Amino acid sequence: MKLIISLSAVILIVFCLSGYISYRIYLNIFEKEISQQFSMTNEQALARLELRIKNIYRISNYIGSNSNVEEILKKSSIEYPGSNFEKYLDWRELDELLSQVKFDVPQLSALYLYDLKGNSFYTKESAFIDGLSHEDYLELTKSLKGTNGEIIWKKMDLTSSVENSRFRNVIVASRLMKTSKLETYGSMIMIFDEAVFSKLLNSVTEMESGRFYLLDQRNQLLYTNESNVEHVDPSFLLTLDKADIHMMEEIPYLFTKSKSDDTSFSLVSRISLQNIKEKSQIIFKISLYSGIFTIILAVILITITSLQFLRPLKSLVRGMQQLRKGNFDTSIEIQTNDEMSYIGQSFNSMADNINSLIKEVYERQLNEKKAELKALQAQLNPHFLYNTLDTIYWNVYLKDDMESAELVVSLSEMLRYVLEPVNELVTLEDEIHNMKNYINIQEHRFKEDLNTTIYIEDSVKSCLLIRLLLQPLVENIFVHAFRDKETNMLIDIHAYRQSNQLIIEITDNGCGMDSDMKERLIEGSMNSNKNNHRQRIGVENVISRMDMVYGEPYGLDISSECGIGTTMKLILPYQIPTNARKEVLNESV
């Protein structure tokens, strides 16, 4: 039951975590998509606005470059040569010439043409404003000083008799009128209703919290739908990137900025992300409620399923408890035909087999004790033989037969060396001494026909290795290499250090062996029974024990030529004792 509850809790945590991560990913993607769409809408609105501003520039250039307009304003700047009737005719000519302007820009509320003396020669006004006062004219003229005919944009409040506040917000575009030689002959003032921009920009921010800010080529705020214009900081708008998120009064706002390369106008739009997040919260709540409903339904289904699943499992647990008490006749009732029934059948089979297994274990323990007893009895024979050799030695020694006594000592020391534990490491010096005992016996047999050379470097005498590696190899020389040789038998033994390895080379001038025999010898050692408690003496035994203890890259390398001789090269790790002279091998080897 705890397992099912734990799994249910894990599933619940994973479900909630994945749901929250999915919601955050969705929200980030949604905000990114909103930012891209808002930036695109801002750029499209600026493109439409750019077309309208270019149209105003075109009209302004058309009026400023017209020769008739230039001639009439120049005449007005000096004392008018004609009569009032001629002046009326000039005015009508201008009116016919500029009548198309109103159709090109319907939002044009008024158009003023001033000569150099400040006389308003041509005036075309709208009913929405009362007109341009002299103070307003002077303010606009002041802003035109130092310009070369480019349009200067300005937002102004002009008097209006139709407005309740007696003022109307308008957009004013003014410029100096210059000749082809850049001589000023007058000025032009165009007054536009705010609709010239508002109709194009209102679509950018359809939400109540949406705001837009239009900056002219001088980076001055020209138009905005912000009610509190004094709170708008144009310098802050200039620092914005193409898309930025800023906190204002603890509310996150998304700002987008677009700038026209032709007119140098900039459009900054702003929307509140709080409204977007409020809408996303609705989606989150729907997901949360559906998740809670899913969890409740899952808990109900898991509870019903677990009860059905745990019934046979509880029966199995009760059977195990009886088995633990020692009641091995216990069996459980199988009621299903699924995996649990297989477990129940296995449990019943296990309970039936426990008694027989216990009997087998008891019998095995008795057999092992008998085997240990036989092993102890078997150890008495070598010790008896060693004691007998010791008695023979003293008898021969007392008879002054030193040669026979020396043979008995060599054989006795070899026997004692063999009887020591095989899992104990020995030094190379000890192994060489045991081998010399064997060679000493062979030298008494072959006399001058056997010549043995042994050279051991001092740096390797204390190296540790497993016992009985060298004597079996030397014995193999006498058994096989010298089987048909009775004179001039040579054995050379050389031990030295090479990097981190101990190298022992044993060379003879015996009959040698071909490559097939060498391969059979190595393969025979690899296929030998490593679990045999009675270790075989010979090359195969040496190779097998080295492989079990050391492994790669250590081992025995054999090079031989028929009729010339054989060199057996032992490659061992260079190990010297640290605190003790000997180390004990792992009993699992």
Side-chain angles (χ1 to χ4, degrees):
M1 192 65 183
K2 292 182 179 179
L3 177 62
I4 295 179
I5 294 175
S6 301
L7 291 176
S8 302
V10 170
I11 294 173
L12 176 61
I13 294 173
V14 171
F15 176 80
C16 295
L17 185 61
S18 61
Y20 177 76
I21 293 175
S22 301
Y23 168 73
R24 294 301 305 176
I25 293 174
Y26 156 76
L27 186 61
N28 292 334
I29 295 175
F30 181 71
E31 290 180 355
K32 185 177 181 181
E33 186 67 22
I34 288 293
S35 176
Q36 292 177 350
Q37 292 182 1
F38 191 50
S39 299
M40 187 179 299
T41 303
N42 194 71
E43 292 178 356
Q44 292 173 352
L46 181 61
R48 293 193 299 269
L49 185 65
E50 187 179 23
L51 293 176
R52 178 157 293 180
I53 294 174
K54 286 183 177 179
N55 189 33
I56 295 174
Y57 283 175
R58 180 184 60 81
I59 294 172
S60 171
N61 293 332
Y62 167 73
I63 296 174
S65 61
N66 191 283
S67 58
N68 293 332
V69 175
E70 179 182 347
E71 181 181 354
I72 292 172
L73 289 182
K74 283 182 177 180
K75 287 193 299 183
S76 177
S77 298
I78 60 178
E79 188 174 343
Y80 208 86
S83 62
N84 290 334
F85 180 74
E86 291 179 352
K87 185 175 181 179
Y88 169 75
L89 292 178
D90 290 340
W91 187 90
R92 286 194 59 183
E93 182 180 355
L94 284 178
D95 186 56
E96 293 176 358
L97 184 66
L98 304 177
S99 60
Q100 187 63 31
V101 174
K102 183 64 178 177
F103 295 101
D104 291 341
V105 186
Q107 294 80 13
L108 181 63
S109 299
L111 175 63
Y112 297 89
L113 297 179
Y114 289 89
D115 59 16
L116 295 179
K117 293 183 178 181
N119 298 318
S120 176
F121 187 81
Y122 175 77
T123 304
K124 189 172 184 64
E125 296 181 349
S126 170
F128 296 106
I129 58 175
D130 295 341
L132 190 66
S133 64
H134 184 67
E135 291 77 10
D136 295 333
Y137 167 72
L138 292 178
E139 181 181 351
L140 293 173
T141 303
K142 184 178 179 180
S143 64
L144 292 177
K145 287 184 179 181
T147 62
N148 292 319
E150 66 272 15
I151 292 180
I152 302 300
W153 296 84
K154 191 176 182 65
K155 184 178 181 179
M156 299 183 67
D157 296 332
L158 300 182
T159 58
S160 174
S161 57
V162 298
E163 298 288 340
N164 295 329
S165 62
R166 311 300 298 173
F167 291 95
R168 187 176 181 89
N169 296 327
V170 295
I171 305 297
V172 179
S174 57
R175 59 167 292 183
L176 295 178
M177 303 178 71
K178 292 183 176 289
T179 64
S180 58
K181 297 180 180 180
L182 300 180
E183 297 176 353
T184 303
Y185 66 88
S187 59
M188 179 193 317
I189 298 176
M190 293 180 287
I191 301 176
F192 298 93
D193 189 74
E194 286 185 337
V196 70
F197 295 145
S198 62
K199 288 185 178 181
L200 297 177
L201 299 180
N202 284 335
S203 60
V204 178
T205 56
E206 296 178 352
M207 293 184 294
E208 295 181 359
S209 60
R211 296 291 182 267
F212 56 82
Y213 310 90
L214 181 64
L215 305 176
D216 61 10
Q217 72 273 24
R218 298 178 301 166
N219 293 325
Q220 300 295 320
L221 182 62
L222 183 60
Y223 180 67
T224 178
N225 63 344
E226 182 75 60
S227 57
N228 298 323
V229 182
E230 60 274 6
H231 294 164
V232 181
D233 184 9
S235 60
F236 166 73
L237 300 177
L238 295 175
T239 59
L240 296 174
D241 293 329
K242 188 174 182 180
D244 273 342
I245 297 178
H246 290 274
M247 299 294 295
M248 299 180 63
E249 297 179 356
E250 298 182 357
I251 299 176
Y253 286 94
L254 173 63
F255 289 85
T256 59
K257 180 181 177 182
S258 302
K259 186 171 184 178
S260 172
D261 295 331
D262 296 334
T263 62
S264 297
F265 272 58
S266 298
L267 178 62
V268 179
S269 303
R270 184 197 79 183
I271 57 172
S272 173
L273 293 179
Q274 187 173 5
N275 296 333
I276 299 175
K277 290 184 177 180
E278 288 176 355
K279 294 181 180 180
S280 65
Q281 287 293 330
I282 298 175
I283 300 175
F284 176 75
K285 290 179 180 179
I286 294 174
S287 302
L288 180 62
Y289 294 150
S290 62
I292 293 174
F293 174 76
T294 303
I295 291 171
I296 295 174
L297 182 61
V299 169
I300 295 173
L301 294 177
I302 288 174
T303 303
I304 296 174
T305 305
S306 61
L307 292 176
Q308 296 294 328
F309 178 76
L310 291 177
R311 186 176 293 111
L313 191 59
K314 289 181 179 179
S315 178
L316 181 62
V317 171
R318 286 193 295 268
M320 288 182 177
Q321 290 173 348
Q322 293 295 323
L323 195 64
R324 184 177 182 181
K325 293 178 181 178
N327 187 8
F328 301 113
D329 297 331
T330 301
S331 62
I332 60 175
E333 184 180 357
I334 299 173
Q335 299 177 347
T336 59
N337 190 21
D338 52 10
E339 290 81 0
M340 293 303 299
S341 66
Y342 175 76
I343 296 175
Q345 292 173 1
S346 300
F347 175 79
N348 291 334
S349 299
M350 179 187 66
D352 293 337
N353 293 331
I354 283 180
N355 288 325
S356 59
L357 291 176
I358 291 176
K359 292 179 180 179
E360 290 180 5
V361 169
Y362 285 153
E363 292 177 357
R364 184 180 303 167
Q365 289 179 351
L366 291 175
N367 292 332
E368 288 178 355
K369 290 185 179 295
K370 291 179 181 179
E372 290 178 2
L373 191 57
K374 290 181 179 180
L376 292 175
Q377 293 174 351
Q379 289 180 357
L380 297 177
N381 294 329
H383 284 286
F384 173 75
L385 180 60
Y386 172 73
N387 293 330
T388 303
L389 289 175
D390 188 56
T391 302
I392 296 174
Y393 164 75
W394 286 107
N395 289 331
V396 174
Y397 180 79
L398 293 174
K399 294 179 180 181
D400 202 20
D401 188 355
M402 302 307 297
E403 184 177 354
S404 298
E406 186 179 349
L407 288 175
V408 173
V409 170
S410 298
L411 182 59
S412 178
E413 289 183 355
M414 287 182 61
L415 181 59
R416 183 177 0 182
Y417 190 79
V418 172
L419 289 177
E420 291 183 5
V422 295
N423 61 343
E424 187 178 277
L425 293 178
V426 297
T427 63
L428 177 60
E429 189 174 10
D430 293 337
E431 186 71 4
I432 292 294
H433 181 73
N434 179 65
M435 182 191 64
K436 286 181 177 179
N437 285 329
Y438 177 78
I439 294 177
N440 184 36
I441 296 173
Q442 297 296 338
E443 285 179 345
H444 282 78
R445 173 186 174 188
F446 294 103
K447 306 297 181 179
E448 292 82 5
D449 294 326
L450 175 62
N451 188 6
T452 303
T453 304
I454 301 176
Y455 175 69
I456 309 298
E457 293 183 356
D458 294 336
S459 60
V460 298
K461 288 183 179 180
S462 60
C463 285
L464 296 177
L465 68 162
I466 58 177
R467 71 174 62 246
L468 292 176
L469 288 181
L470 303 183
Q471 185 271 331
L473 298 180
V474 175
E475 182 180 356
N476 185 76
I477 295 175
F478 290 97
V479 174
H480 298 286
F482 294 162
R483 66 178 180 271
D484 297 328
K485 197 175 185 68
E486 296 180 354
T487 59
N488 192 23
M489 293 179 286
L490 302 176
I491 299 177
D492 180 72
I493 301 172
H494 183 201
Y496 58 93
R497 178 181 179 181
Q498 181 176 309
S499 184
N500 291 326
Q501 294 178 342
L502 169 63
I503 308 298
I504 304 174
E505 295 180 351
I506 303 175
T507 305
D508 65 79
N509 63 342
C511 62
M513 69 180 79
D514 55 19
S515 57
D516 293 337
M517 182 180 296
K518 185 172 66 173
E519 290 179 1
R520 287 196 303 270
L521 181 63
I522 296 176
E523 291 177 358
S525 66
M526 297 299 293
N527 296 328
S528 62
N529 185 5
K530 297 180 182 180
N531 295 324
N532 191 355
H533 293 290
R534 183 180 178 181
Q535 299 179 355
R536 302 187 316 178
I537 303 300
V539 178
E540 296 180 2
N541 177 270
V542 171
I543 296 175
S544 298
R545 289 192 295 129
M546 289 182 64
D547 182 65
M548 286 188 296
V549 175
Y550 299 116
E552 295 292 339
Y554 307 106
L556 178 63
D557 184 24
I558 301 175
S559 59
S560 180
E561 293 185 24
C562 292
I564 297 178
T566 303
T567 297
M568 292 178 286
K569 183 178 180 181
L570 282 164
I571 304 174
L572 302 169
Y574 182 80
Q575 299 177 348
I576 58 176
T578 54
N579 297 329
R581 185 171 179 266
K582 298 180 181 179
E583 296 178 353
V584 178
L585 293 174
N586 191 326
E587 293 182 358
S588 61
V589 176

